[in-house]
Amino acid sequence: MFDAKWIRENPDQFDAGLARRGAAPAAARVKDLDSRRRKLQTEFQGLQKRRNETSKAIGAAKGRGDDPAALMAEVSALKEAVHCFEQEEREAAADVDAVLQSLPNLPADDVPDGLDESANVELRTWGDKPSIAGQAKQHFELGEGLGMMDFERAAKLSGARFVVLSGPLARLERALAGFMLDLHTGEFGYTEMAPPLLVRGEAAFGTGNLPKFAEDLFKTTSDHWLIPTAEMPLTNLVSGEILEEADLPKRLTAHTPCFRAEAGAAGKDTRGMIRQHQFNKVELVSIAHPDQSEAEHERMTSCAEEVLKRLGLPYRVVLLCAGDMGFAARKTYDIEVWLPGQNSYREISSCSNCGEFQARRMKARFYPAGQKATRFVNTLNGSGLAVGRTLVGVLENYQNPDGSVTVPDALRPYMNGLERIERGA
């Protein structure tokens, strides 16, 4: 969400930012609609003032013994005019908001140009890719071979893009979530939360999921929306609030199921757990001072990276180009884990700085120390990590020639000391 006044004053800069994201120019349209709204608002306020003055004149006329009929007729006419202009002003304001709500966040200056993933920039890699004897298996081959990953029964229950895990693999997923939460809360200062999984439309609007991306979400018959990520409830915890500067940053984490319609994913990752309608994720959210949000972004990304380092999973960090970022982001780092079975890196976390984009939609502000005027906070979010994809990474990187999977050292305390997952275990 943007400030129409800023767009009026910086139209070329605004359109240039949209162009970097592959979006059409919008400054002239916003300016025209906002000009109409402001004109109607001025006329509306003028009519209100005239009506109030005329109402006072009626009282004065009565006090002098004069006939107030003409003044009363004028007030009646003004009342009707005020009502009409008020309605027009509301409609004009709604037109401005509709355009502003449809526009993506502008990219930060240091975000590379480009319209798709081919223009993303690899920043760093970590870890040695494992040497696997023979042809490395993909996670679903390993999981099905162990008899602990069942897509057929999941399809019987729910259709495509669901899975049933059992035995040690189900425990491994739980172990991963517990390990991540313990790391983020115990070492990195995040506060663990247990938010609702259903939210109202206002919350989905606040994070930028509505109205533009309604088809990507699941909606209930009670007009609630299933969360696609805990970013939605965690970020909205400060919606409509005015925080104190001393309270920033707020660092929150949560382990939740996530639900995504994957409306545009037909034919993509149809086998396995990479792209599902329901999955588990540990989310990281920061509510930060604008002057500290860039440093907070780097910190959040390093926290997510540390999970992979502790698990011994090779990965790389990629800076997304302007056209490949999410709707609300101004800068995004993708962390991609190495999957031997696919012989490629796959995204396991996106860490984004949204600036004040979401805060404006949520009306989330803070009082700078020593100042009377409020400022919008900055919001940041990232996966710390996607639990299902981390399980995929563990299976493929720790696979053994006999189809068993070695449990990483960091997870063994969460697995009751289990060192290897084998069929029939």
Side-chain angles (χ1 to χ4, degrees):
M1 197 77 168
F2 299 98
D3 179 10
K5 180 175 182 292
W6 184 87
I7 296 174
R8 292 199 312 270
E9 295 173 349
N10 304 275
D12 293 340
Q13 183 179 345
F14 184 70
D15 282 346
L18 291 180
R20 294 183 64 202
R21 298 208 57 159
R29 186 181 179 197
V30 171
K31 184 178 179 180
D32 289 345
L33 289 172
D34 191 52
S35 177
R36 176 174 178 267
R37 179 196 64 80
R38 289 185 296 121
K39 181 180 179 181
L40 287 168
Q41 187 178 54
T42 299
E43 293 175 346
F44 168 63
Q45 292 171 344
L47 286 171
Q48 278 188 314
K49 181 180 179 182
R50 175 60 181 161
R51 184 183 66 176
N52 293 337
E53 291 172 346
T54 305
S55 296
K56 291 180 181 178
I58 291 173
K62 288 181 178 180
R64 295 191 303 269
D66 297 338
D67 184 2
L71 291 171
M72 293 177 69
E74 183 179 355
V75 167
S76 179
L78 285 169
K79 181 178 180 181
E80 180 64 25
V82 165
H83 175 74
C84 291
F85 271 95
E86 182 179 28
Q87 183 63 29
E88 284 191 61
E89 194 274 334
R90 286 178 179 172
E91 292 175 356
D95 289 341
V96 175
D97 287 344
V99 173
L100 294 177
Q101 291 166 12
S102 70
L103 300 173
N105 201 354
L106 301 185
D109 292 341
D110 59 345
V111 168
D113 290 333
L115 299 181
D116 56 41
E117 63 181 13
S118 65
N120 295 342
V121 178
E122 181 180 286
L123 299 180
R124 56 186 175 271
T125 61
W126 183 93
D128 297 323
K129 298 174 183 177
S131 177
I132 297 175
Q135 179 67 39
K137 295 180 180 178
Q138 296 197 56
H139 68 280
F140 51 84
E141 297 172 306
L142 293 160
E144 290 174 334
L146 290 167
M148 303 173 192
M149 186 180 290
D150 196 328
F151 296 99
E152 290 187 8
R153 284 194 172 92
K156 180 175 66 175
L157 299 173
S158 307
R161 297 191 187 276
F162 292 91
V163 67
V164 174
L165 299 178
S166 60
L169 278 197
R171 181 160 187 167
L172 181 63
E173 185 173 51
R174 174 161 57 94
L176 283 164
F179 166 70
M180 294 175 193
L181 286 174
D182 286 350
L183 183 61
H184 294 313
T185 58
E187 296 190 31
F188 301 146
Y190 286 85
T191 299
E192 184 174 352
M193 311 294 289
L197 305 182
L198 298 171
V199 298
R200 299 191 302 178
E202 293 91 329
F205 172 82
T207 48
N209 298 85
L210 289 181
K212 192 174 180 64
F213 301 102
E215 68 173 6
D216 294 326
L217 307 178
F218 287 109
K219 189 177 183 181
T220 71
T221 55
S222 63
D223 286 338
H224 285 85
W225 300 83
L226 276 70
I227 64 169
T229 166
E231 169 201 350
M232 191 179 285
L234 292 182
T235 307
N236 274 280
L237 287 173
V238 298
S239 65
E241 296 188 5
I242 301 178
L243 308 175
E244 295 296 331
E245 184 176 27
D247 294 333
L248 303 177
K250 286 183 174 291
R251 298 182 178 122
L252 311 174
T253 186
H255 167 227
T256 66
C258 303
F259 306 90
R260 296 185 185 177
E262 297 289 355
K268 297 179 181 178
D269 298 308
T270 54
R271 290 290 312 271
M273 294 178 60
I274 293 293
R275 196 181 302 272
Q276 297 200 298
H277 290 311
Q278 176 186 323
F279 58 95
N280 291 309
K281 186 151 71 81
V282 171
E283 185 73 2
L284 305 175
V285 163
S286 292
I287 312 298
H289 190 291
D291 297 344
Q292 300 298 322
S293 68
E294 290 187 16
E296 187 68 16
H297 192 198
E298 301 296 328
R299 182 186 189 277
M300 174 181 285
T301 305
S302 69
C303 292
E305 288 182 69
E306 188 62 27
V307 176
L308 293 170
K309 289 179 179 178
R310 301 284 178 96
L311 294 174
L313 296 177
Y315 69 88
R316 69 176 182 176
V317 178
V318 176
L319 174 61
L320 299 194
C321 69
D324 199 33
M325 293 191 301
F327 180 77
R330 69 187 304 267
K331 183 176 182 179
T332 297
Y333 295 122
D334 268 9
I335 305 174
E336 300 177 349
V337 67
W338 174 252
L339 298 183
Q342 293 192 13
N343 194 37
S344 65
Y345 288 101
R346 296 301 302 268
E347 177 201 335
I348 199 168
S349 172
S350 281
C351 295
S352 297
N353 185 350
C354 298
E356 62 181 36
F357 185 85
Q358 292 177 326
R360 283 185 174 276
R361 298 170 78 99
M362 297 187 304
K363 297 179 174 58
R365 297 167 290 166
F366 73 101
Y367 278 117
Q371 299 181 28
K372 293 183 179 180
T374 60
R375 294 180 65 185
F376 288 104
V377 299
N378 278 200
T379 61
L380 303 94
N381 64 81
S383 304
L385 303 162
V387 178
R389 291 195 179 190
T390 309
L391 184 143
V392 168
V394 169
L395 292 180
E396 294 200 11
N397 282 276
Y398 283 89
Q399 62 180 287
N400 299 307
D402 63 357
S404 65
V405 176
T406 300
V407 177
D409 291 344
L411 297 179
R412 292 178 185 179
Y414 297 85
M415 297 287 291
N416 198 30
L418 183 67
E419 297 182 3
R420 185 182 292 240
I421 299 174
E422 301 174 293
R423 185 175 182 87

